[in-house]
Amino acid sequence: MEGKRKSARQSAQGTLAAGTGGTAAMLLPRALGALSLGLGAALLARPGMARELAGAERSVVAPLVIRGVAARELLHAAGLLASRQPAGWVWSRVAGDAMDLALMGRAALNLRGDRRHRALMTTGALAGIALVDLAVAVYTGRVMIARRRAISLRGSITINKPSQEVYRFWRDFGNLPRFMYHLESVSSDGDGRSHWRARGPAGIGVEWDAEITEEQPNRMIAWRSTDGTKVPNSGRVRFLPTPDGRATEVRVELDYAPPAGRVGKLAAKLFGENPEQQVKDDLRRFKQVIETGEVVRSEGSPDGLSLRQQLMQRPARPLGAR
């Protein structure tokens, strides 16, 4: 069971990472891995040419240094091309770039004429590669941090309505604030993109744009936030008809990275805004809205998300009951 939960969480984190640039965060290191593979192979195949391009003089040390650099590049290639979390390998390349720059800079100071010119040209090329490596390392590092701090929420409920009707109601995103009290508004542009406004912890407003990533009419809707949002998130809702077709099981999967990670989740709980409880409450209200047309309330079920209001809540009961 624990293995299944871990696998599901990793899958959710991967989905969230893709929504925040995770695809690029995997492709860019792979490209650097291919570059390392090419450089390593070229240095091993033509060490003499590499020495001449660098402006180095003939010596016993030069071939050893070139072979060492080639071996390092091939090691980086293996790590970058095979690893599922390549951020560390990219930083390793940055460290290697720093070593190469220091080595070439020192060599250039001891050379003269055309050899010094070639050494300086090689140093400039290495500096350019180092800047690219550094940019990729910073980018992939940020994406991986967002992936590690992702929070996965799950919930389900059975609604006494056909799946077509339940799907149609949810697909009109403007209906969501009717039962998701943390949402202020959702507006769609009709092209699979929408703008969301929500209340975060302590009433702080949060806005983001989202896009539908997959849709199966009457069966499933999947979406994710677009790049650049302060609260990266993704979600999936499945509408599973019961065997008799009269009811629908709604399964919600929501993954997001709070602004302050785990600390942000704890702060939400302190303000009475437990994410797990919110999902359960939202689904109960969704069932009430679609089955009865409104959220059923009593004096023991006040409207609100504050800690004081949640502590006051209790199930509705007949008048006069104690």
Side-chain angles (χ1 to χ4, degrees), residues 144-301:
M144 292 304 107
I145 289 174
R147 180 176 179 175
R148 285 195 297 269
R149 78 185 198 206
I151 294 175
S152 298
L153 304 174
R154 300 291 183 267
S156 63
I157 198 167
T158 299
I159 296 175
N160 295 318
K161 292 286 184 179
S163 59
Q164 296 88 341
E165 184 176 346
V166 178
Y167 165 84
R168 187 167 55 249
F169 186 91
W170 191 294
R171 180 61 176 80
D172 184 356
F173 294 147
N175 287 326
L176 300 184
R178 293 178 58 183
F179 58 90
M180 295 183 179
Y181 284 170
H182 61 285
L183 287 179
E184 293 183 347
S185 66
V186 182
S187 56
S188 302
D189 63 3
D191 193 28
R193 298 176 68 91
S194 52
H195 183 75
W196 301 57
R197 297 180 60 187
R199 291 189 300 273
I204 299 175
V206 182
E207 297 187 32
W208 68 90
D209 291 321
E211 59 184 0
I212 294 176
T213 57
E214 186 178 359
E215 184 172 9
Q216 299 174 12
N218 305 324
R219 293 288 181 174
M220 185 269 293
I221 306 172
W223 73 93
R224 70 184 180 195
S225 59
T226 56
D227 290 343
T229 180
K230 294 182 179 179
V231 186
N233 63 89
S234 64
R236 183 185 302 268
V237 183
R238 299 181 185 276
F239 307 89
L240 307 176
T242 57
D244 60 9
R246 297 179 180 179
T248 305
E249 182 185 4
V250 178
R251 296 181 183 176
V252 176
E253 305 170 6
L254 178 62
D255 312 301
Y256 74 103
R262 299 289 179 182
V263 177
K265 184 180 181 182
L266 177 60
K269 291 183 179 181
L270 292 176
F271 282 94
E273 295 166 352
N274 186 317
E276 291 88 349
Q277 187 61 43
Q278 278 190 14
V279 171
K280 295 178 182 178
D281 290 344
D282 288 344
L283 286 175
R284 281 196 293 266
R285 286 190 291 263
F286 176 48
K287 177 180 176 68
Q288 292 175 357
V289 168
I290 197 168
E291 288 183 358
T292 69
E294 61 181 352
V295 175
V296 179
R297 298 196 177 282
S298 74
E299 76 285 357
S301 301

